[in-house]
Amino acid sequence: MTALTEPQAPAGAADRPGTGGRRLPLVLRNRAFGAVWLGQVLTQGAVRMFQVGVSWWLVAYAVQDAGGLASGLFMAVCTLPAVALAPLVARTVGRFAHRSVLRTAAAAAGAAAAGLALWAQGSGLPVAAVYGAALALATCQAFFDPCLTTSVPELVDDADIESATGFELSTQSLAGLGGALLGALAVDRAGVAGLAAGCAAAYLLAAVLVATARFRTAAAAHAAAAAGGGAGADGPAAVAGQRRTLRGILGELPYVRRILVCFTAANLFTAAVFVVIPLYTRSVLRGGGGTVALLESSLGTGALIGAFTGTRVPGRPAVAGAYCLGLMAVALALPGLAPLRPVFAGCLVVAGWCAGAVSVRFVALFQRLVPAADKPGFFAVMQAVLGASLPVASLVFGSAGDHLSPQTLCLVQGIGLLPAACALALLGRHHPEPAEAEAGARAAAGTHSEAEADAVGGAAARPAGGAR
């Protein structure tokens, strides 16, 4: 990695929209952002493919008597680094050039996946080795994701932040969709060796793409945000030239802190879907890797649609989020009452849409509320706070899956989401959003149609490697 003061070329004229005619989607008119976005598609697609494939491998092939616990432990390992390394991630993202952090994380993940692929070519691959590779990939992703979110102002103009956020969040949906279609099928047909080799290729290509992108310096990005009137550049909570501690960031943003607490509680039940899907497939639907692919792709498709349509959900973010969580509770609980493949797939589409829509609303809100100097720390904190419940949820639901039916787990998921939905609704009613949020909402409404067209256009024009 190189220091944050590493000289980097500013976005050139080639990254600016052309004159006349219909505006191109953001990923096409801003080549630097397009390259980094495609790199994120590849990295998150690879890690999701690995998670889906190994979860199915554990349940269907590797562990016979305690598949639920093994799968839950695996998902806990995958989510632990984002929580445990949050302070280190924040310091790293704040100190080093963002392009260097992204490039190093992707290259290291590619090396880890390639090593596992070579090991798996022999016989008797131990489960512990797969867990170790999962830990390495998750560690690299824990640096990559918040760094990319923080670097958005260095890649796009302030007027394009809303659109860039939509593209960035759609990456998670594309990754879920790609991982769903490829993960379990790759294990059925090529084993862990083939799965790991595909992940290695995706990570290494992402590292190359990031290395070719041109980032503006942090100072230039802050100046551009200030010129564009962005709240993040000189908001009231900004501390000139200094970054607050992680505790100080959330302490100065009580509205944001309460939102994060609500979603952390909700994640205790929503995260369990990744453990429930393979168990439900094996025990209730009696299916194979193709069924897992169908269900995972249903969830990813719904999230992708939600990422592109989230700005259309009416109401303030807290109120809209409460309704979405309520709808998600119904969608996750219904398969417990109607154990049919079309019902489960349809409910996962709805649950995915709710997750995508909520994400796009709240991350765009946070981009405008959080001062630019605090963004490296904040997005690391956000990832850690939201991810703190994931290891617990994976272990609890995985262990319970060896004793309770998957249908019961579905009902528990739905019922458990209701308190979080109610808390978010009360927050929206009794705690009005800060003035900065209202200003951001008005600015977003002014560019709503343009950002929406960019997001939809980008989905139509995305490379074939992003989702199949």
Side-chain angles (χ1 to χ4, degrees):
M1 299 181 189
T2 54
L4 185 59
T5 55
E6 171 191 7
Q8 303 195 29
D15 295 334
R16 299 170 188 162
T19 57
R22 182 184 177 89
R23 292 189 76 192
L24 291 173
L26 179 60
V27 293
L28 295 182
R29 71 173 187 264
N30 186 326
R31 290 181 295 181
F33 177 76
V36 175
W37 175 79
L38 182 55
Q40 189 189 23
V41 171
L42 291 170
T43 59
Q44 290 193 335
V47 76
R48 188 73 190 113
M49 181 172 70
F50 189 81
Q51 291 173 359
V52 171
V54 172
S55 293
W56 177 242
W57 177 72
L58 290 170
V59 170
Y61 298 101
V63 181
Q64 300 300 324
D65 299 328
L69 177 59
S71 179
L73 179 60
F74 169 73
M75 293 305 300
V77 167
C78 291
T79 56
L80 190 59
V83 179
L85 299 178
L88 177 61
V89 170
R91 289 196 297 269
T92 302
V93 173
R95 179 180 178 184
F96 296 100
H98 295 155
R99 179 173 59 182
S100 296
V101 175
L102 295 171
R103 180 179 57 208
T104 303
L116 181 66
L118 292 175
W119 192 343
Q121 291 292 339
S123 58
L125 178 68
V127 172
V130 180
Y131 282 10
L135 184 63
L137 297 185
T139 298
C140 294
Q141 204 70 37
F143 284 88
F144 193 98
D145 290 339
C147 182
L148 187 140
T149 303
T150 304
S151 66
V152 166
E154 299 173 26
L155 295 165
V156 303
D157 296 329
D158 184 68
D160 287 326
I161 284 181
E162 189 94 5
S163 181
T165 300
F167 275 111
E168 182 196 347
L169 293 177
S170 73
T171 298
Q172 299 177 12
S173 310
L174 289 169
L177 184 59
L181 293 176
L182 298 177
L185 292 176
V187 167
D188 280 350
R189 298 180 183 180
V192 175
L195 177 71
C199 291
Y203 276 117
L204 295 176
L205 179 57
V208 172
L209 286 169
V210 171
T212 63
R214 306 173 67 188
F215 286 59
R216 287 181 285 194
T217 62
H222 295 172
D234 54 359
V239 178
Q242 298 181 358
R243 292 186 176 90
R244 292 194 293 265
T245 63
L246 303 184
R247 180 179 299 178
I249 292 172
L250 290 182
E252 294 293 330
L253 299 169
Y255 179 74
V256 172
R257 184 178 67 246
R258 294 185 183 104
I259 291 174
L260 293 181
V261 169
C262 289
F263 281 113
T264 300
N267 279 354
L268 282 169
F269 301 94
T270 58
V273 71
F274 301 116
V275 176
V276 171
I277 285 177
L279 295 175
Y280 199 100
T281 298
R282 185 191 64 177
S283 302
V284 179
L285 302 180
R286 308 293 179 183
T291 301
V292 174
L294 169 66
L295 298 177
E296 291 278 358
S297 63
S298 298
L299 185 65
T301 299
L304 178 62
I305 297 171
F308 289 139
T309 61
T311 53
R312 294 187 179 185
V313 178
R316 292 177 296 167
V319 176
Y323 282 117
C324 285
L325 285 185
L327 179 59
M328 187 186 295
V330 175
L332 293 178
L334 188 57
L337 303 175
L340 300 172
R341 184 178 308 181
V343 171
F344 198 14
C347 287
L348 288 176
V349 172
V350 174
W353 178 86
C354 293
V358 166
S359 295
V360 103
R361 290 294 300 272
F362 281 99
V363 173
L365 178 70
F366 297 159
Q367 285 278 16
R368 296 185 179 277
L369 280 181
V370 178
D374 290 335
K375 284 183 180 179
F378 172 78
F379 285 113
V381 170
M382 183 183 77
Q383 180 170 312
V385 169
L386 295 179
S389 55
L390 302 186
V392 177
S394 299
L395 285 174
V396 170
F397 277 85
S399 301
D402 292 329
H403 306 283
L404 302 175
S405 70
Q407 293 169 260
T408 301
L409 297 182
C410 290
L411 293 174
V412 172
Q413 281 186 276
I415 295 172
L417 271 179
L418 294 178
C422 293
L424 200 58
L426 291 175
L427 176 63
R429 174 176 296 182
H430 298 296
H431 297 274
E433 295 170 17
E436 293 86 348
E438 296 175 2
R442 288 194 296 270
T447 59
H448 175 78
S449 298
E450 177 183 328
E452 193 173 278
D454 284 340
V456 175
R462 67 179 179 270
R468 293 177 176 84

